[in-house]
Amino acid sequence: MNYDAAVRYLLSLGRELAAPTQAAAAKFDLENITVLSERLGRPNRAYPSAHIAGTNGKGSTAAFLESILRHAGFRTGLNTSPHLERINERIRVNGQEINDRDFAKTLTRIQSLIEELLAAGKLRVHPTYFECVTAMAFEYFARVHVDFGVFEVGLGGRLDATNILTPAITVITRVDFDHENFLGHSLREIAGAKAGILKEGIPVVLAAQQPEAREIILTRAKELGCPIIEMPLAYRADEKALENGCARARITEIVSRWSAKLAPQLAGRFQLQNAMNAVAAARALSERGYRIPEGAIEQGIAAAGWPGRLEKLQSQPDIYVDGAHNPGAARELAAFWEENFAGRKIFLLYGALRDKAVDEIAGVLFPRAAEVVFTEPRTSRAISGSQLSEIAAHHAGHSSVIAEAEQALDYLLSKAAPHDAVFVTGSLYLVGQLRHYWKQRAQVAAR
């Protein structure tokens, strides 16, 4: 397969997440990925790894940790999901996306083995889109000899395809409500799914949690004999400040008194917690014999990038894209507005998928916006702009519907004064689509 054929092949396997009505019929367990990994020669065991689960912040935490390890001299692999513009974003080595040729070559090998396993009856069904991409990351990282792999859980934890890893460190970021049709409708059920990544004796970094989630995760960690680094008890943050919307602080490891000055370039006060999760993971790895110089921690945090999360595209007017697709992320976005945009007019472009808590998100964000424009990302899972308006327009003082997302962005830019701000949010699909459009728009303007 060439690259285009490889992408078409993956897309032919269906959507990454089944619709809620199809969830019961979908195959969610570790059999496929286990069989495929065995046939590949267990590439997931060729290098040490970190495994990161959670509802919000797991991608940013993964990006911070990978950056620390790279600055410490490790050849790193980073596997995250979803992607914003190109599927290659999900598989990175030393910060660089897998190129098209290697992407096609890796998937061609895996597809050939899948056909062999299906013919031999060793696979009962074809692996899913996500299982194939996960297998690609395992295999590619082994083939290019990474020193350390950082893996973000796709959905939940216990039944996620990444969960055949036996990592050197696990991290569970903040647990909140999302994907309830797959993970359960209580915080205890969702936390149980996330706690499924814990492995016997492997240290776990645990971010601050709501009491019921904390209880579930700690109980499981103790059953498995996992050393626990509970962030509110293990680390303290002092000298807190905000610079251009980015958090600054000196953090101290309470027992050892070790400290570091953190200056992440990712906007939002909440990114300090994600950076601290990564620092705690790096410190735990250091205690287990991985050489991570202290300077690499501060440098890695400062250099980390994670697009599509409170990412600023331009000034005057400010344009931000942020994939706030669940209530917890919406609350963080609202806090960012309160701290950085008090007294300024905010225009909001909003699009969402069908499985999201739209009314709750709208209740948090829409009353703060001067105008909300409902649109729809280019995916079959999107709610139409008109449906969104019916569901949530009552939360907005002023709203309208423009189904074409690019046209909606142009409309808001025509209305925004230099001191105003435009925020694109609600779906990472929408964020990716409009990031791509923005780049094209900027190229045309520069000619």
Side-chain angles (χ1 to χ4, degrees):
M1 287 185 284
N2 62 22
Y3 176 76
D4 289 340
V7 173
R8 285 196 303 270
Y9 174 78
L10 285 170
L11 293 175
S12 75
L13 300 178
R15 296 193 297 275
E16 189 161 14
L17 287 179
T21 54
Q22 298 171 311
K27 188 174 186 298
F28 295 115
D29 61 32
L30 300 180
E31 181 182 333
N32 273 352
I33 192 66
T34 300
V35 170
L36 189 50
S37 174
E38 292 285 343
R39 181 62 185 85
L40 285 165
R42 299 178 178 177
N44 49 295
R45 300 188 183 185
Y47 39 81
S49 60
H51 200 195
I52 303 173
T55 304
N56 293 315
K58 61 184 185 294
S60 300
T61 297
F64 281 127
L65 179 56
E66 183 277 333
S67 184
I68 290 171
L69 292 167
R70 183 156 32 100
H71 281 80
F74 291 86
R75 180 172 172 79
T76 58
L78 177 63
N79 175 222
T80 58
S81 63
H83 59 275
L84 293 178
E85 298 179 49
R86 300 181 80 233
I87 195 170
N88 306 51
E89 297 166 24
R90 297 174 181 233
I91 302 173
R92 300 173 186 256
V93 172
N94 269 0
Q96 299 300 310
E97 297 172 13
I98 183 173
N99 63 44
D100 292 356
R101 178 179 174 275
D102 286 340
F103 186 99
K105 181 179 178 181
T106 304
L107 183 57
T108 297
R109 175 162 191 248
I110 287 171
Q111 189 262 349
S112 175
L113 295 180
I114 287 171
E115 296 300 330
E116 172 195 308
L117 292 165
L118 285 168
K122 294 180 180 179
L123 280 175
R124 288 185 290 156
V125 296
H126 196 292
T128 65
Y129 174 112
F130 185 79
E131 287 168 336
C132 287
V133 177
T134 301
M136 288 175 66
F138 289 156
E139 169 69 6
Y140 184 66
F141 292 165
R143 181 149 52 85
V144 299
H145 305 293
V146 303
D147 301 318
F148 204 102
V150 179
F151 291 84
E152 177 193 7
V153 166
L155 173 66
R158 182 172 62 89
L159 299 180
D160 189 78
T162 60
N163 202 29
I164 63 169
L165 290 166
T166 302
I169 188 76
T170 53
V171 181
I172 299 181
T173 66
R174 181 82 169 176
V175 174
D176 212 326
F177 288 97
D178 202 3
H179 298 301
E180 290 96 324
N181 287 305
F182 297 91
L183 304 180
H185 293 272
S186 73
L187 209 54
R188 297 178 68 86
E189 289 177 294
I190 295 170
K194 310 292 185 186
I197 72 165
L198 301 180
K199 305 294 190 303
E200 186 172 356
I202 303 300
V204 55
V205 174
L206 182 61
Q209 303 289 342
Q210 297 181 59
E212 54 266 54
R214 176 177 180 267
E215 177 190 350
I216 291 293
I217 297 167
L218 288 181
T219 297
R220 184 59 178 156
K222 289 169 184 173
E223 289 172 354
L224 293 170
C226 302
I228 302 165
I229 302 117
E230 198 171 358
M231 292 304 296
L233 304 179
Y235 285 82
R236 185 181 73 241
D238 302 305
E239 304 171 24
K240 294 182 183 179
L242 281 175
E243 291 182 13
N244 299 318
C246 299
R248 302 286 181 263
R250 175 167 291 281
I251 67 162
T252 302
E253 193 175 57
I254 292 170
V255 171
S256 70
R257 309 302 297 170
W258 173 89
S259 71
K261 193 73 179 283
L262 301 189
Q265 297 305 305
L266 304 185
R269 189 179 293 277
F270 61 93
Q271 290 292 5
L272 178 62
Q273 179 61 63
N274 296 329
M276 290 174 67
N277 293 337
V279 171
R283 291 282 295 164
L285 288 170
S286 182
E287 290 173 5
R288 301 192 90 194
Y290 295 88
R291 187 178 177 278
I292 303 175
E294 291 190 7
I297 290 178
E298 292 185 352
Q299 293 165 13
I301 294 298
W306 192 233
R309 285 74 173 177
L310 277 177
E311 180 185 8
K312 188 176 183 180
L313 300 183
Q314 78 156 43
S315 300
Q316 295 186 325
D318 290 347
I319 302 176
Y320 283 84
V321 291
D322 182 54
H325 59 272
N326 58 45
R331 288 191 290 271
E332 296 292 0
L333 177 56
F336 182 74
W337 289 351
E338 289 172 4
E339 291 177 333
N340 298 281
F341 289 86
R344 293 176 62 182
K345 188 180 288 187
I346 293 172
F347 294 95
L348 184 63
L349 180 53
Y350 183 79
L353 305 188
R354 284 193 296 271
D355 61 343
K356 298 304 177 181
V358 170
D359 194 60
E360 188 174 352
I361 293 168
V364 173
L365 296 178
F366 292 6
R368 295 169 166 83
E371 180 176 354
V372 177
V373 174
F374 297 103
T375 191
E376 47 205 70
R378 202 171 291 122
T379 169
S380 59
R381 293 172 57 204
I383 308 176
S384 72
S386 56
Q387 284 180 301
L388 277 177
S389 180
E390 290 175 14
I391 294 168
H394 64 281
H395 290 291
H398 181 52
S399 67
S400 56
V401 177
I402 303 177
E404 184 72 27
E406 291 83 357
Q407 182 183 342
L409 180 58
D410 287 341
Y411 164 76
L412 286 179
L413 288 175
S414 72
K415 294 198 69 174
H419 189 61
D420 298 337
V422 175
F423 280 79
V424 176
T425 194
S427 165
L428 282 168
Y429 286 89
L430 180 65
V431 165
Q433 181 179 329
L434 291 183
R435 280 182 93 246
H436 181 69
Y437 172 66
W438 183 257
K439 291 176 184 176
Q440 292 181 320
R441 196 176 186 272
Q443 288 171 356
V444 170
R447 288 174 187 166

